[in-house]
Amino acid sequence: MTEQMYHTKRRQFYEKIEGFWADLYEEEYALYDMALLTEAEVAHIRLVSERIGSIFFKMGSLLRKVTDETLLDMGFSKETLSFIRLKTLSAESVISRLDLIPYGDSYKCIEMNADTPTFIKELFFINGMVCKEFGVENPNEGMEPLLRKAVHDSLYGSTNKKSPHIVFTAHEDHIEDYETVLYLQHSVRSSKFTPLHQLHIQKGVGLFDEEGKKIDVLYRQTFPIENLILDEDHDGNPIGLWLLELVEQKKLAIINPPSAFLLQNKVVQAVIWGLHEEQHPFFTEQEHQWIDDYFLPTYLEADVFLQKGLAYVKKPAFGREGDTVEIFDQAGQLMHANRQRSYSAYTPVYQQYIEHPTIPFRSEKGKQEGNLLLGSFLLNGKAAAIGYRVGGRITNNLSYYLPVGVKR
């Protein structure tokens, strides 16, 4: 396929899809190309994902019981301590995404996006359309109804009201967040969308939509808690903290639940690895084997890697899209760094660096080769949709979305 043919076919295909951001930041985002997996590979990814998810989810019960000092050392702000101890749903997170690197004949988890994962509409909806276009089987077939059920059940399961007022919200001027939330809102007929800036709050009373109706359940898929707690109104009132107080007072429910924010912190991976190194009985023998198989050594200092002469990654406890991530070589010299430094104030974690495998792909710029990262979703802890991002050594918001299909 020539570059001109690629450009034409890509434009014609994605132009037909309403509410999708095939281009982002005036750059190509969704590729008109396909990576193929075998059925056995897809099954293995799902097995690995559920095992990894079970380790993370098990940590929730432990972390809710630790001291305030421990949580503060992990990088949580004191204003969130009572909030993150709440357990409002049976699952720790309704929608979460694991970031996995193919490694040998298996996968290593570099992080879990438990609270505000992106990449949802691409994998649960768009991927099937691309598979149909290319005439291949969709590995995510049947996952969209499961997504809708998970969203629906979590919203109604988080309140005692028979007819709760359910509102979905996002930044209206951010196309990816806005369209993702509208896509998820289709899961619940008796709900509405209200832009984030049109919500208003009364301290200790409730959260209200633009018509002044009190909200019972708020779906804020793309609004991180670590940003929310800094939110103030024009008069300097800490409206973000007021919202957390409403949740604690059971005057408002939110999805993802508070427990998802607890697990979003990347220091959790350092705690998991520390317990594993001690062979702590909190984990069973089988779970220790899974940690050994699928997790990477992660610490709060780089000393271990420097002593062993191992390359490592430094990343903030809270952060997204590769922002503030740095890669160091075996001697501790900086090799790569993301230009964006939005999360430098957060507690850093240090994780062993492993190379991403590379994959060739077609793009508007011609044939390219990029580093591969696998996104694997969990719905209430159960394996769901999967898909690839390809880009540089640090996956960021300019990395491409590469659809996946199943080899016949």
PDB file of all heavy atoms in Angstrom, residues 34-55:
ATOM      1  N   MET A  34      -3.071  -3.254  11.413  1.00  0.00           N
ATOM      2  CA  MET A  34      -3.546  -4.325  12.287  1.00  0.00           C
ATOM      3  C   MET A  34      -2.375  -5.181  12.751  1.00  0.00           C
ATOM      4  O   MET A  34      -1.520  -5.573  11.953  1.00  0.00           O
ATOM      5  CB  MET A  34      -4.551  -5.181  11.493  1.00  0.00           C
ATOM      6  CG  MET A  34      -5.066  -6.421  12.181  1.00  0.00           C
ATOM      7  SD  MET A  34      -6.223  -6.061  13.491  1.00  0.00           S
ATOM      8  CE  MET A  34      -7.523  -5.191  12.625  1.00  0.00           C
ATOM      9  N   ALA A  35      -2.316  -5.447  14.059  1.00  0.00           N
ATOM     10  CA  ALA A  35      -1.380  -6.434  14.604  1.00  0.00           C
ATOM     11  C   ALA A  35      -2.179  -7.700  14.904  1.00  0.00           C
ATOM     12  O   ALA A  35      -3.311  -7.618  15.393  1.00  0.00           O
ATOM     13  CB  ALA A  35      -0.725  -5.915  15.881  1.00  0.00           C
ATOM     14  N   LEU A  36      -1.614  -8.848  14.575  1.00  0.00           N
ATOM     15  CA  LEU A  36      -2.346 -10.104  14.734  1.00  0.00           C
ATOM     16  C   LEU A  36      -1.794 -10.941  15.879  1.00  0.00           C
ATOM     17  O   LEU A  36      -0.578 -11.082  16.046  1.00  0.00           O
ATOM     18  CB  LEU A  36      -2.296 -10.912  13.436  1.00  0.00           C
ATOM     19  CG  LEU A  36      -3.002 -10.269  12.238  1.00  0.00           C
ATOM     20  CD1 LEU A  36      -2.798 -11.128  10.990  1.00  0.00           C
ATOM     21  CD2 LEU A  36      -4.490 -10.076  12.513  1.00  0.00           C
ATOM     22  N   LEU A  37      -2.703 -11.499  16.658  1.00  0.00           N
ATOM     23  CA  LEU A  37      -2.375 -12.398  17.764  1.00  0.00           C
ATOM     24  C   LEU A  37      -3.038 -13.747  17.507  1.00  0.00           C
ATOM     25  O   LEU A  37      -4.081 -13.812  16.844  1.00  0.00           O
ATOM     26  CB  LEU A  37      -2.898 -11.839  19.093  1.00  0.00           C
ATOM     27  CG  LEU A  37      -2.302 -10.521  19.594  1.00  0.00           C
ATOM     28  CD1 LEU A  37      -3.184  -9.933  20.686  1.00  0.00           C
ATOM     29  CD2 LEU A  37      -0.896 -10.750  20.126  1.00  0.00           C
ATOM     30  N   THR A  38      -2.468 -14.797  18.040  1.00  0.00           N
ATOM     31  CA  THR A  38      -3.138 -16.098  17.965  1.00  0.00           C
ATOM     32  C   THR A  38      -4.184 -16.193  19.066  1.00  0.00           C
ATOM     33  O   THR A  38      -4.138 -15.442  20.052  1.00  0.00           O
ATOM     34  CB  THR A  38      -2.135 -17.246  18.128  1.00  0.00           C
ATOM     35  OG1 THR A  38      -1.596 -17.198  19.463  1.00  0.00           O
ATOM     36  CG2 THR A  38      -1.007 -17.152  17.108  1.00  0.00           C
ATOM     37  N   GLU A  39      -5.121 -17.108  18.911  1.00  0.00           N
ATOM     38  CA  GLU A  39      -6.126 -17.325  19.963  1.00  0.00           C
ATOM     39  C   GLU A  39      -5.459 -17.708  21.274  1.00  0.00           C
ATOM     40  O   GLU A  39      -5.908 -17.307  22.352  1.00  0.00           O
ATOM     41  CB  GLU A  39      -7.114 -18.420  19.526  1.00  0.00           C
ATOM     42  CG  GLU A  39      -8.059 -17.977  18.423  1.00  0.00           C
ATOM     43  CD  GLU A  39      -9.088 -19.048  18.089  1.00  0.00           C
ATOM     44  OE1 GLU A  39      -9.054 -20.119  18.724  1.00  0.00           O
ATOM     45  OE2 GLU A  39      -9.924 -18.807  17.206  1.00  0.00           O
ATOM     46  N   ALA A  40      -4.375 -18.486  21.188  1.00  0.00           N
ATOM     47  CA  ALA A  40      -3.658 -18.906  22.393  1.00  0.00           C
ATOM     48  C   ALA A  40      -3.031 -17.707  23.096  1.00  0.00           C
ATOM     49  O   ALA A  40      -3.041 -17.638  24.343  1.00  0.00           O
ATOM     50  CB  ALA A  40      -2.581 -19.924  22.034  1.00  0.00           C
ATOM     51  N   GLU A  41      -2.502 -16.758  22.310  1.00  0.00           N
ATOM     52  CA  GLU A  41      -1.909 -15.551  22.905  1.00  0.00           C
ATOM     53  C   GLU A  41      -2.979 -14.717  23.623  1.00  0.00           C
ATOM     54  O   GLU A  41      -2.748 -14.214  24.725  1.00  0.00           O
ATOM     55  CB  GLU A  41      -1.238 -14.706  21.827  1.00  0.00           C
ATOM     56  CG  GLU A  41       0.088 -15.254  21.334  1.00  0.00           C
ATOM     57  CD  GLU A  41       0.643 -14.438  20.184  1.00  0.00           C
ATOM     58  OE1 GLU A  41      -0.017 -14.357  19.120  1.00  0.00           O
ATOM     59  OE2 GLU A  41       1.740 -13.883  20.340  1.00  0.00           O
ATOM     60  N   VAL A  42      -4.133 -14.583  22.992  1.00  0.00           N
ATOM     61  CA  VAL A  42      -5.223 -13.820  23.604  1.00  0.00           C
ATOM     62  C   VAL A  42      -5.647 -14.469  24.919  1.00  0.00           C
ATOM     63  O   VAL A  42      -5.831 -13.791  25.943  1.00  0.00           O
ATOM     64  CB  VAL A  42      -6.425 -13.709  22.636  1.00  0.00           C
ATOM     65  CG1 VAL A  42      -7.615 -13.070  23.329  1.00  0.00           C
ATOM     66  CG2 VAL A  42      -6.034 -12.918  21.392  1.00  0.00           C
ATOM     67  N   ALA A  43      -5.787 -15.778  24.924  1.00  0.00           N
ATOM     68  CA  ALA A  43      -6.173 -16.503  26.138  1.00  0.00           C
ATOM     69  C   ALA A  43      -5.113 -16.330  27.232  1.00  0.00           C
ATOM     70  O   ALA A  43      -5.448 -16.149  28.414  1.00  0.00           O
ATOM     71  CB  ALA A  43      -6.380 -17.984  25.828  1.00  0.00           C
ATOM     72  N   HIS A  44      -3.847 -16.347  26.836  1.00  0.00           N
ATOM     73  CA  HIS A  44      -2.759 -16.189  27.805  1.00  0.00           C
ATOM     74  C   HIS A  44      -2.767 -14.786  28.410  1.00  0.00           C
ATOM     75  O   HIS A  44      -2.584 -14.616  29.632  1.00  0.00           O
ATOM     76  CB  HIS A  44      -1.417 -16.465  27.129  1.00  0.00           C
ATOM     77  CG  HIS A  44      -0.240 -16.371  28.055  1.00  0.00           C
ATOM     78  ND1 HIS A  44      -0.098 -17.202  29.147  1.00  0.00           N
ATOM     79  CD2 HIS A  44       0.841 -15.540  28.063  1.00  0.00           C
ATOM     80  CE1 HIS A  44       1.020 -16.893  29.791  1.00  0.00           C
ATOM     81  NE2 HIS A  44       1.598 -15.890  29.146  1.00  0.00           N
ATOM     82  N   ILE A  45      -2.997 -13.777  27.574  1.00  0.00           N
ATOM     83  CA  ILE A  45      -3.070 -12.392  28.069  1.00  0.00           C
ATOM     84  C   ILE A  45      -4.171 -12.259  29.116  1.00  0.00           C
ATOM     85  O   ILE A  45      -3.984 -11.630  30.159  1.00  0.00           O
ATOM     86  CB  ILE A  45      -3.311 -11.408  26.901  1.00  0.00           C
ATOM     87  CG1 ILE A  45      -2.074 -11.338  26.010  1.00  0.00           C
ATOM     88  CG2 ILE A  45      -3.680 -10.017  27.422  1.00  0.00           C
ATOM     89  CD1 ILE A  45      -2.318 -10.658  24.672  1.00  0.00           C
ATOM     90  N   ARG A  46      -5.308 -12.869  28.847  1.00  0.00           N
ATOM     91  CA  ARG A  46      -6.435 -12.757  29.783  1.00  0.00           C
ATOM     92  C   ARG A  46      -6.128 -13.471  31.101  1.00  0.00           C
ATOM     93  O   ARG A  46      -6.474 -12.979  32.188  1.00  0.00           O
ATOM     94  CB  ARG A  46      -7.701 -13.311  29.125  1.00  0.00           C
ATOM     95  CG  ARG A  46      -8.102 -12.503  27.892  1.00  0.00           C
ATOM     96  CD  ARG A  46      -9.604 -12.324  27.751  1.00  0.00           C
ATOM     97  NE  ARG A  46      -9.846 -11.176  26.883  1.00  0.00           N
ATOM     98  CZ  ARG A  46     -10.129 -11.260  25.576  1.00  0.00           C
ATOM     99  NH1 ARG A  46     -10.214 -12.422  25.007  1.00  0.00           N
ATOM    100  NH2 ARG A  46     -10.333 -10.161  24.871  1.00  0.00           N
ATOM    101  N   LEU A  47      -5.476 -14.624  31.007  1.00  0.00           N
ATOM    102  CA  LEU A  47      -5.101 -15.363  32.221  1.00  0.00           C
ATOM    103  C   LEU A  47      -4.118 -14.542  33.051  1.00  0.00           C
ATOM    104  O   LEU A  47      -4.302 -14.369  34.272  1.00  0.00           O
ATOM    105  CB  LEU A  47      -4.482 -16.708  31.834  1.00  0.00           C
ATOM    106  CG  LEU A  47      -3.946 -17.569  32.988  1.00  0.00           C
ATOM    107  CD1 LEU A  47      -5.089 -18.018  33.879  1.00  0.00           C
ATOM    108  CD2 LEU A  47      -3.174 -18.766  32.447  1.00  0.00           C
ATOM    109  N   VAL A  48      -3.077 -14.030  32.401  1.00  0.00           N
ATOM    110  CA  VAL A  48      -2.073 -13.219  33.088  1.00  0.00           C
ATOM    111  C   VAL A  48      -2.718 -11.981  33.718  1.00  0.00           C
ATOM    112  O   VAL A  48      -2.427 -11.620  34.871  1.00  0.00           O
ATOM    113  CB  VAL A  48      -0.960 -12.802  32.096  1.00  0.00           C
ATOM    114  CG1 VAL A  48      -0.063 -11.720  32.691  1.00  0.00           C
ATOM    115  CG2 VAL A  48      -0.133 -14.013  31.691  1.00  0.00           C
ATOM    116  N   SER A  49      -3.610 -11.335  32.977  1.00  0.00           N
ATOM    117  CA  SER A  49      -4.256 -10.106  33.454  1.00  0.00           C
ATOM    118  C   SER A  49      -5.067 -10.351  34.715  1.00  0.00           C
ATOM    119  O   SER A  49      -5.016  -9.557  35.667  1.00  0.00           O
ATOM    120  CB  SER A  49      -5.154  -9.521  32.358  1.00  0.00           C
ATOM    121  OG  SER A  49      -4.386  -9.160  31.226  1.00  0.00           O
ATOM    122  N   GLU A  50      -5.818 -11.438  34.748  1.00  0.00           N
ATOM    123  CA  GLU A  50      -6.624 -11.721  35.938  1.00  0.00           C
ATOM    124  C   GLU A  50      -5.747 -12.054  37.137  1.00  0.00           C
ATOM    125  O   GLU A  50      -6.059 -11.690  38.277  1.00  0.00           O
ATOM    126  CB  GLU A  50      -7.613 -12.847  35.654  1.00  0.00           C
ATOM    127  CG  GLU A  50      -8.729 -12.412  34.716  1.00  0.00           C
ATOM    128  CD  GLU A  50      -9.908 -13.376  34.673  1.00  0.00           C
ATOM    129  OE1 GLU A  50      -9.909 -14.360  35.440  1.00  0.00           O
ATOM    130  OE2 GLU A  50     -10.826 -13.137  33.864  1.00  0.00           O
ATOM    131  N   ARG A  51      -4.633 -12.724  36.901  1.00  0.00           N
ATOM    132  CA  ARG A  51      -3.716 -13.032  38.004  1.00  0.00           C
ATOM    133  C   ARG A  51      -3.090 -11.757  38.563  1.00  0.00           C
ATOM    134  O   ARG A  51      -3.020 -11.569  39.782  1.00  0.00           O
ATOM    135  CB  ARG A  51      -2.628 -13.994  37.512  1.00  0.00           C
ATOM    136  CG  ARG A  51      -3.132 -15.406  37.289  1.00  0.00           C
ATOM    137  CD  ARG A  51      -2.057 -16.290  36.660  1.00  0.00           C
ATOM    138  NE  ARG A  51      -2.505 -17.683  36.578  1.00  0.00           N
ATOM    139  CZ  ARG A  51      -1.796 -18.665  36.021  1.00  0.00           C
ATOM    140  NH1 ARG A  51      -0.602 -18.382  35.478  1.00  0.00           N
ATOM    141  NH2 ARG A  51      -2.255 -19.896  36.003  1.00  0.00           N
ATOM    142  N   ILE A  52      -2.645 -10.880  37.667  1.00  0.00           N
ATOM    143  CA  ILE A  52      -2.060  -9.611  38.103  1.00  0.00           C
ATOM    144  C   ILE A  52      -3.115  -8.780  38.839  1.00  0.00           C
ATOM    145  O   ILE A  52      -2.849  -8.214  39.905  1.00  0.00           O
ATOM    146  CB  ILE A  52      -1.505  -8.824  36.899  1.00  0.00           C
ATOM    147  CG1 ILE A  52      -0.317  -9.573  36.282  1.00  0.00           C
ATOM    148  CG2 ILE A  52      -1.080  -7.419  37.317  1.00  0.00           C
ATOM    149  CD1 ILE A  52       0.141  -9.005  34.950  1.00  0.00           C
ATOM    150  N   GLY A  53      -4.310  -8.708  38.260  1.00  0.00           N
ATOM    151  CA  GLY A  53      -5.386  -7.946  38.888  1.00  0.00           C
ATOM    152  C   GLY A  53      -5.708  -8.444  40.282  1.00  0.00           C
ATOM    153  O   GLY A  53      -5.964  -7.657  41.206  1.00  0.00           O
ATOM    154  N   SER A  54      -5.697  -9.749  40.471  1.00  0.00           N
ATOM    155  CA  SER A  54      -6.016 -10.318  41.786  1.00  0.00           C
ATOM    156  C   SER A  54      -4.996  -9.905  42.840  1.00  0.00           C
ATOM    157  O   SER A  54      -5.347  -9.702  44.007  1.00  0.00           O
ATOM    158  CB  SER A  54      -6.116 -11.840  41.699  1.00  0.00           C
ATOM    159  OG  SER A  54      -4.838 -12.445  41.524  1.00  0.00           O
ATOM    160  N   ILE A  55      -3.731  -9.762  42.428  1.00  0.00           N
ATOM    161  CA  ILE A  55      -2.694  -9.307  43.363  1.00  0.00           C
ATOM    162  C   ILE A  55      -2.958  -7.860  43.777  1.00  0.00           C
ATOM    163  O   ILE A  55      -2.931  -7.519  44.967  1.00  0.00           O
ATOM    164  CB  ILE A  55      -1.291  -9.422  42.718  1.00  0.00           C
ATOM    165  CG1 ILE A  55      -0.959 -10.873  42.372  1.00  0.00           C
ATOM    166  CG2 ILE A  55      -0.232  -8.813  43.634  1.00  0.00           C
ATOM    167  CD1 ILE A  55      -0.812 -11.802  43.546  1.00  0.00           C
TER     168      ILE A  55
END
